[in-house]
Amino acid sequence: MRSPYFTEAHEEFRTRVRAALAEAVAPNVDAWEAGDGVPREAWRELGARGLLGVALPRRAGGGEHDLLTSVVFLEELGRVGAGGVRAAISVHTHMATHYLAMDGDPVLDAECLAPAVRGERVAALAITEPGAGADLSGLAVTAEPDGGHYVVNGVKSMVSNGTVADFHVAAVRTAPDRGSGPHGTTGLSLLVIDADLPGVGVEPVRTLGWRAAGAATVTYDRVRVPASRLIGRVDSGFYRLMRGLVLERLVAAALALGGMEECLEDLRRFLVERQVSGRPPARLQAPAHRVADLATELAAARQLVHHSAWLHQEGELPGTESSMAKLYTTELACRLVETSLQLRGSAGYLESSPAARAHRDARAATIAAGPSEVMRDLIGRAVLRPPPGPAR
Ligand SMILES: Cc1cc2nc3c(=O)[nH]c(=O)nc-3n(C[C@H](O)[C@H](O)[C@H](O)COP(=O)(O)OP(=O)(O)OC[C@H]3O[C@@H](n4cnc5c(N)ncnc54)[C@H](O)[C@@H]3O)c2cc1C
């Protein structure tokens, strides 16, 4: 479908990325899902092909492309058919490293960002904790200053890439919360923690879907982190996270879009090729109408995601639109994969069926990067905010 948001250069980039992912990722997805996730050599290959630095700055070897180029990349990544692979790569390319890209510290650029672009070091984002996820004011991992270092203590949970990451961009508490007010929680900072430091413990966790994402619980036990690993100013973490989470939601939405395109195409093939009582199910009204509804919703979702990304690219911070995009696409993906599984009959229920994997994976996306309920909360607050009154 032609779109006013994308130029010819974007479409050429799409063709190149699709071909590169078809070579470097798609043939390996099943093995990565069944094994230990995306292996080291694959990260290096993705780096060598320029696929890890699409959004990252030139000063670190990245492509520094606009956000709509990232949307193209993420949609194509979304089409590779495994939520865990999408999550692993996008956490690295667009979530954890985003905070380093925004800051421009020469040491962090040289030691973390540039090797991440080359695929030599893998990044994870460690925000969620056993006691707090959606509500950042509850974050309790502490980082106390101690002679040129921070001493970090506490536990992070559901860290994607946790099993393979070389460094974590972690949200840590550098001061107690002085009471969450209209400007959010205070006392949070972002710290880059090398995974091989003494006191870092990694425990893999098994998840329903996203099996290649390398989810882990990470423990910090008196980990001494050089103070130079702080991203930006101390206690500026909440501000940075609020901006980063808007991007994270757009990333989740673009990945979901790509996943849905692939899922719908897969379902279309099945409905056209399968024979039921001598004709393909595509000729029956019940499946045809369900597919028609989903294709219509997918077309609407595409516009919402692309418009939100365009707003972001134009310099706005589209908090409400990105929440709408994330909510709508990830919930639509659940409905689509449910229909895809159902319309295939028993073939869809086989463990090996792409529809079964898509079904498991889709559930994760309505929780990760902010649950649907939180998205509704944010959207509801924005929509129901009283109009600004006359100045008094
Ligand atoms: C597959 C997967 C991968 C993940 N990867 C990462 C990662 O790499 N790094 C990372 O830091 N985190 C990661 N997460 C964690 C994810 O970001 C959190 O699960 C999410 O933010 C919710 O936090 P929580 O799980 O602690 O739920 P809680 O905060 O305990 O919330 C539980 C439930 O309460 C409800 N709720 C909470 N707040 C509100 C509200 N304001 N309004 C209405 N209802 C509400 C929602 O239904 C929510 O699902 C991942 C999660 C999943 C499932």
Side-chain angles (χ1 to χ4, degrees):
M1 192 184 283
R2 271 161 47 77
S3 158
Y5 299 109
F6 296 104
T7 62
E8 222 167 273
H10 288 124
E11 293 312 328
E12 280 166 15
F13 178 77
R14 186 186 295 282
T15 306
R16 280 206 309 277
V17 170
R18 188 174 292 185
L21 292 173
E23 275 176 29
V25 174
N28 304 310
V29 160
D30 289 344
W32 295 350
E33 283 270 308
D36 298 326
V38 183
R40 215 25 69 186
E41 61 276 12
W43 286 105
R44 288 208 191 87
E45 179 171 357
L46 292 170
R49 286 174 179 263
L51 293 176
L52 300 179
V54 173
L56 298 175
R58 286 204 190 94
R59 64 171 198 270
E64 205 169 315
H65 292 292
D66 62 12
L67 186 58
L68 285 163
T69 305
S70 277
V71 168
V72 170
F73 170 76
L74 293 160
E75 286 178 7
E76 292 305 315
L77 182 61
R79 293 174 69 102
V80 298
V85 174
R86 286 174 214 160
I89 296 173
S90 62
V91 161
H92 177 94
T93 56
H94 283 80
M95 299 186 196
T97 49
H98 167 72
Y99 295 101
L100 296 166
M102 287 299 96
D103 220 64
D105 178 285
V107 176
L108 288 176
D109 278 0
E111 293 181 3
C112 299
L113 196 55
V117 170
R118 294 193 295 267
E120 292 163 5
R121 302 195 80 202
V122 179
L125 182 62
I127 302 175
T128 308
E129 299 177 5
D135 176 16
L136 297 180
S137 70
L139 295 182
V141 167
T142 54
E144 294 184 14
D146 180 31
H149 284 76
Y150 283 99
V151 179
V152 182
N153 280 295
V155 180
K156 293 288 182 185
S157 51
M158 291 305 294
V159 180
S160 302
N161 282 345
T163 55
V164 290
D166 298 291
F167 64 88
H168 313 143
V169 173
V172 293
R173 191 158 281 295
T174 34
D177 185 17
R178 289 194 304 277
S180 304
H183 303 298
T185 179
T186 61
L188 292 180
S189 301
L190 294 182
L191 199 59
V192 181
I193 304 178
D194 286 331
D196 60 358
L197 285 176
V200 177
V202 173
E203 190 63 43
V205 291
R206 277 184 63 77
T207 48
L208 175 66
W210 283 24
R211 291 183 182 167
T217 301
V218 175
T219 306
Y220 303 117
D221 179 13
R222 288 166 290 165
V223 180
R224 289 183 67 77
V225 181
S228 58
R229 294 281 160 141
L230 193 70
I231 300 182
R233 278 183 302 105
V234 72
D235 296 350
S236 66
F238 181 73
Y239 166 78
R240 284 164 204 282
L241 286 169
M242 285 303 97
R243 300 183 79 80
L245 290 174
V246 170
L247 179 69
E248 218 175 279
R249 285 166 197 151
L250 284 175
V251 169
L255 290 170
L257 267 191
M260 285 190 284
E261 305 274 3
E262 175 65 10
C263 182
L264 194 59
E265 175 53 26
D266 216 36
L267 177 59
R268 192 197 66 78
R269 260 195 309 271
F270 178 86
L271 294 176
V272 168
E273 287 167 11
R274 173 84 177 160
Q275 293 290 310
V276 176
S277 306
R279 59 182 170 167
R283 303 255 294 275
L284 302 171
Q285 193 183 61
H289 280 193
R290 289 180 77 174
V291 168
D293 285 345
L294 290 163
T296 305
E297 283 196 77
L298 177 52
R302 207 180 284 126
Q303 300 309 317
L304 178 58
V305 177
H306 294 169
H307 186 68
S308 308
W310 175 79
L311 285 176
H312 199 293
Q313 186 170 290
E314 290 295 294
E316 293 189 28
L317 194 65
T320 306
E321 290 83 353
S322 67
S323 298
M324 288 175 169
K326 202 259 174 189
L327 172 68
Y328 191 59
T329 52
T330 57
E331 293 202 345
L332 176 59
C334 289
R335 296 201 299 279
L336 175 51
V337 298
E338 171 63 30
T339 302
S340 173
L341 194 150
Q342 179 67 25
L343 294 185
R344 286 159 201 265
S346 57
Y349 198 66
L350 294 175
E351 169 94 26
S352 57
S353 146
R357 179 156 72 201
H359 195 264
R360 287 196 304 268
D361 286 346
R363 290 299 292 110
T366 61
I367 300 171
S372 288
E373 292 74 16
V374 173
M375 297 305 108
R376 287 195 168 84
D377 237 29
L378 294 169
I379 298 163
R381 260 187 271 155
V383 171
L384 299 171
R385 194 183 296 137
R392 281 196 288 174

